[in-house]
């Protein structure tokens, strides 16, 4: 198994960050197998969805409806509503696995691999890329 940790800066707002190009370049030339991604953070997740057509904004809007940034959360350090970021990985998991065929991601036409981050208190994120040969 081959693996690498990559760093990303998500900034000070809710974000869906497209990692597809990074993933595609990382698996290029590796043959058949699985790309496993993992975010070692309690407040971020990974999603496979269409981006650029509004779906990424729709995801953030849906998460804001489900997990409002207000004072209802028992987990209360950080900015108001920070506790929602600790609940989000139960809805948007911190892992994803994608088939790789002949060194290329076997995603559908409109699918992208995205880092989802609602934690405005921590803009620095790591994503662990692992390739499991088939």
């Amino acid at each position: 198994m081959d693996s690498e940790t990559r760093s990303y800066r998500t900034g000070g707002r809710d974000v869906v960050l497209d990692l597809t190009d990074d993933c595609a370049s990382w698996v290029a030339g590796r043959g058949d197998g699985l790309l496993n991604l993992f975010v070692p953070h309690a407040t971020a997740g990974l999603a496979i969805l269409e981006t650029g057509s509004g779906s990424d904004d729709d995801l953030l809007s849906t998460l804001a409806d489900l997990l409002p940034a207000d004072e209802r959360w028992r987990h209360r350090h950080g900015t108001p509503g920070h506790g929602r970021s600790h609940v989000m990985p139960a809805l948007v998991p911190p892992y994803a696995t994608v088939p790789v065929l002949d060194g290329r991601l076997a995603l559908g036409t409109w699918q992208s691999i995205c880092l989802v981050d609602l934690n405005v208190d921590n803009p620095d994120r790591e994503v662990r890329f692992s390739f499991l040969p088939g």
Side-chain angles (χ1 to χ4, degrees), residues 44-110:
L46 293 160
I48 297 177
L49 74 157
E50 182 178 5
T51 59
S53 65
S55 297
D56 37 352
D57 290 331
D58 288 342
L59 175 59
L60 291 176
S61 178
T62 299
L63 290 171
D65 289 345
L66 291 171
L67 306 169
D70 59 23
E71 294 299 328
R72 74 184 67 205
W73 308 100
R74 291 185 181 116
H75 189 112
R76 291 184 183 255
H77 72 85
T79 58
H82 175 75
R84 75 187 184 125
S85 298
H86 288 273
V87 173
M88 191 205 62
L91 303 173
V92 180
Y95 54 85
T97 302
V98 177
V100 177
L101 301 174
D102 195 25
R104 295 175 50 157
L105 299 170
L107 292 169
T109 302
W110 304 111

Side-chain angles (χ1 to χ4, degrees), residues 19-43:
L19 305 179
T20 310
D21 289 344
D22 279 356
C23 293
S25 66
W26 195 79
V27 301
R30 294 182 190 265
D32 293 350
L34 295 172
L35 170 63
N36 182 263
L37 301 158
F38 180 72
V39 180
H41 301 285
T43 58

